[in-house]
Amino acid sequence: MKRYIISALLFVFAFSAFAEEYVGIYSLISQDERNAIFESAGMSAKSRLVEENAIHSLFHALFYVGIEGINNGKPLVQRENKTYTNGFFNEQAKYSFYVISKEPTEKVQKVGNEYRATYRVQIRLSKLIADLKMNKVYVDTSNPATMSASD
């Protein structure tokens, strides 16, 4: 019995060690008909990965949490398609097509065992939404007709 508990704990620890954490600190700064500028915080055990984590955190928030001012604060991904969305968070780095610019708003700082920083990220929001629609994962929450049960 003790062996099973230890095995289970090792499995959970190993799984969580490979899972990326998202900071959850992000906000919409400005937006026009094509692009949007956000601030997003990132963290990592390695200072060179903080920027990537900040961008992943931003896309995770856009897809699964929602950001006030975008899609009525609702997540952009309404119908999960892991084959499509995983490409934004793995080595394919699909997000790079949509990122116009990224710049730190502060220097990367070490806090405890992790490095942290906040970035200003400009993305091609209209192209991202068009791509989400084409891949049938997006539902426009500002239009009640697109939220019908027949979708």
Side-chain angles (χ1 to χ4, degrees):
M1 180 67 173
K2 189 176 186 181
R3 215 179 268 166
Y4 292 117
I5 293 172
I6 291 171
S7 295
L9 288 174
L10 286 174
F11 176 76
V12 169
F13 176 74
F15 181 73
S16 64
F18 292 108
E20 185 170 16
E21 292 183 45
Y22 302 110
V23 178
I25 301 172
Y26 42 79
S27 61
L28 174 66
I29 303 300
S30 66
Q31 171 182 11
D32 62 27
E33 61 278 347
R34 291 185 184 172
N35 305 321
I37 300 173
F38 299 90
E39 277 194 0
S40 181
M43 68 178 187
S44 178
K46 298 179 182 178
S47 62
R48 64 182 171 78
L49 298 177
V50 175
E51 178 184 281
E52 181 179 293
N53 179 265
I55 295 170
H56 284 182
S57 294
L58 173 60
F59 278 88
H60 182 267
L62 283 166
F63 287 179
Y64 304 113
V65 179
I67 296 178
E68 199 59 44
I70 305 295
N71 200 34
N72 291 327
K74 304 283 188 217
L76 296 178
V77 173
Q78 298 293 319
R79 295 182 187 98
E80 183 59 79
N81 177 350
K82 289 282 187 189
T83 304
Y84 172 76
T85 57
N86 281 349
F88 284 85
F89 305 104
N90 63 24
E91 63 279 346
Q92 286 180 330
K94 250 187 211 180
Y95 66 81
S96 61
F97 176 74
Y98 303 100
V99 174
I100 298 168
S101 66
K102 54 198 180 286
E103 58 188 61
T105 61
E106 59 189 33
K107 284 186 172 185
V108 175
Q109 298 178 341
K110 187 165 186 173
V111 179
N113 293 330
E114 300 197 310
Y115 293 91
R116 297 178 183 199
T118 301
Y119 293 82
R120 188 164 290 206
V121 182
Q122 183 178 13
I123 66 168
R124 293 177 177 92
L125 186 61
S126 64
K127 289 198 182 289
L128 175 63
I129 290 173
D131 195 35
L132 292 170
K133 286 178 182 178
M134 187 176 74
N135 284 282
K136 298 180 170 67
V137 296
Y138 172 79
V139 175
D140 183 356
T141 61
S142 65
N143 183 356
T146 64
M147 297 183 65
S148 68
S150 63
D151 282 345

